[in-house]
Amino acid sequence: EAGVAQSPRYKIIEKRQSVAFWCNPISGHATLYWYQQILGQGPKLLIQFQNNGVVDDSQLPKDRFSAERLKGVDSTLKIQPAKLEDSAVYLCASSLIGVPEAFFGQGTRLTVV
Amino acid sequence: TQLLEQSPQFLSIQEGENLTVYCNSSSVFSSLQWYRQEPGEGPVLLVTVVTGGEVKKLKRLTFQFGDARKDSSLHITAAQPGDTGLYLCAGEDNNNDMRFGAGTRLTVKP
């Protein structure tokens, strides 16, 4: 069974530029999460989708971050414009509905300079 | 403040030693998960504990869920260098969002 796929693995951008991350969850997983993990910390939930609907985006900085999951499968997370403090690993995870166990991708390491 | 508090934050031990790490909260959880994360990788699920007082064993790892379902512990027997990593606990909050603790970073020296 294929795991959660994320791309790119690494990205370096200058502050005020835009960036987008892509995630393809495990087939059949209706729930998809985006997490931000700053170095030395645990993952922080940014947004949770169930199919193509947003379940929770209360911790998403909506002035600069946006995410979509148009067809209930793949998802993209965008940052525009990026700030230095956005430097982190962005993790995508997926799970079956009603099941707490999540499967994570390898993450995208973003460095904002 | 973190919903889930993990301790210790860092732990460095010699190969062959035993250790216990903790995950505590003031909230009750229907379940808690433990993950291990290695550098450059995403977290990998180790176990889910569901029932208060439950004990689960995974080779040299023993997981316990507190009777009140507010805390959990992970005990590793005879640690090996391959156990090195960031150990994270996670639980679903009232909104069914999965929240993580800050993790315990374990280093096992040969």
Side-chain angles (χ1 to χ4, degrees):
Chain A
E1 178 183 88
V4 176
Q6 289 190 247
S7 66
R9 283 297 310 274
Y10 307 94
K11 190 75 177 178
I12 301 174
I13 62 172
E14 295 183 350
K15 60 183 178 183
R16 292 187 288 274
Q17 284 188 325
S18 303
V19 65
F21 313 127
W22 173 82
C23 172
N24 182 237
I26 292 173
S27 177
H29 282 193
T31 303
L32 184 147
Y33 309 85
W34 282 102
Y35 286 87
Q36 179 194 58
Q37 187 174 25
I38 293 172
L39 188 64
Q41 298 181 18
K44 170 190 164 186
L45 181 67
L46 293 175
I47 188 167
Q48 178 185 350
F49 291 95
Q50 191 160 298
N51 295 307
N52 60 351
V54 175
V55 173
D56 183 17
D57 63 357
S58 58
Q59 295 195 90
L60 187 74
K62 299 181 188 62
D63 57 334
R64 297 184 301 107
F65 287 63
S66 64
E68 60 183 13
R69 193 184 184 199
L70 291 175
K71 295 183 180 179
V73 181
D74 293 7
S75 177
T76 55
L77 176 69
K78 297 179 182 177
I79 307 176
Q80 180 178 11
K83 293 185 176 182
L84 296 176
E85 58 261 36
D86 297 332
S87 294
V89 175
Y90 290 85
L91 293 163
C92 178
S94 69
S95 69
L96 295 168
I97 289 180
V99 175
E101 295 89 348
F103 294 84
F104 283 80
Q106 291 182 299
T108 296
R109 181 176 296 278
L110 174 68
T111 302
V112 182
V113 298
Chain B
T1 55
Q2 293 272 101
L3 184 64
L4 291 162
E5 299 285 343
Q6 290 193 246
S7 62
Q9 188 176 356
F10 299 96
L11 186 57
S12 181
I13 61 171
Q14 292 294 135
E15 182 176 3
E17 292 184 357
N18 301 333
L19 67 113
T20 302
V21 299
Y22 301 91
C23 174
N24 296 298
S25 177
S26 57
S27 302
V28 176
F29 292 93
S30 57
S31 67
L32 279 180
Q33 292 78 48
W34 283 93
Y35 291 80
R36 187 169 75 121
Q37 186 178 23
E38 299 187 28
E41 301 292 330
V44 175
L45 179 69
L46 296 174
V47 78
T48 296
V49 285
V50 178
T51 306
E54 180 178 9
V55 176
K56 280 191 174 178
K57 293 195 174 185
L58 186 65
K59 296 184 181 178
R60 293 176 294 101
L61 278 59
T62 301
F63 303 85
Q64 186 161 7
F65 201 12
D67 291 341
R69 291 185 289 127
K70 292 183 178 181
D71 54 86
S72 182
S73 64
L74 159 58
H75 181 80
I76 301 179
T77 303
Q80 298 176 0
D83 295 328
T84 293
L86 179 67
Y87 287 82
L88 295 159
C89 67
E92 284 190 316
D93 64 14
N94 293 336
N95 295 323
N96 293 323
D97 293 329
M98 191 167 61
R99 307 286 182 179
F100 282 81
T104 292
R105 191 165 296 279
L106 172 66
T107 302
V108 182
K109 302 177 199 173

